[in-house]
Amino acid sequence: LELDEIIKRYNYLIVTEDVEVTRPLKATYNMQYMRPNTKGRSFAFWFNSFINFYISCKILISFNPDLIITTGSYTAVPICLLAKLFRKKIVWILTYARINTREKSASIIYPFSDLFIVQWEEEKKLYPRAKYVGGIY
């Protein structure tokens, strides 16, 4: 949402988890929801992951974005992997909260991303191909 001024100039779609904190955003933004993450790697995790791949495919076909910009999370993995199959560009912005450790979802998408942005200089050690831009806030 820190990119609010930029995204509103374009035909955009925000895809995020369907949780209580994100539902009010639908009144202001063009939103679509995915199934939320579950704790651990239970049956619910794998079931939601499968459903999110399906939702991601529907989004990519119907919305047909040129570019995916993501700050990551477990829900970003399916849409980014499918986006690469659809020959779409991926920009990953690593969270400002991450400084000295790798993020699981970021590590999966890092090799496929077209631009990988970090907000701390120290993160370049973990993601050498990343572009350091400072804090996006």
Side-chain angles (χ1 to χ4, degrees), residues 49-124:
S49 295
F50 176 77
I51 297 299
N52 285 341
F53 262 97
Y54 173 75
I55 293 169
S56 297
C57 197
K58 277 181 57 175
I59 290 168
L60 288 169
I61 291 169
S62 64
F63 191 72
N64 194 25
D66 296 322
L67 172 70
I68 305 287
I69 300 173
T70 182
T71 55
S73 85
Y74 125 98
T75 54
V77 172
I79 202 160
C80 287
L81 291 175
L82 287 167
K84 266 307 170 193
L85 291 175
F86 283 83
R87 299 177 194 254
K88 306 298 181 182
K89 301 282 185 191
I90 298 171
V91 175
W92 189 284
I93 304 170
L94 194 63
T95 177
Y96 190 73
R98 185 72 60 173
I99 301 172
N100 295 312
T101 58
R102 290 179 70 96
E103 182 181 273
K104 287 180 187 175
S105 56
S107 294
I108 292 168
I109 303 304
Y110 175 70
F112 306 104
S113 65
D114 296 285
L115 177 60
F116 195 92
I117 296 172
V118 294
Q119 300 181 64
W120 292 96
E121 189 85 47
E122 295 87 346
E123 293 171 324
K124 294 261 312 157

Side-chain angles (χ1 to χ4, degrees), residues 121-133:
E121 189 85 47
E122 295 87 346
E123 293 171 324
K124 294 261 312 157
K125 294 175 195 155
L126 302 171
Y127 302 99
R129 192 173 50 81
K131 179 175 180 160
Y132 167 69
V133 297

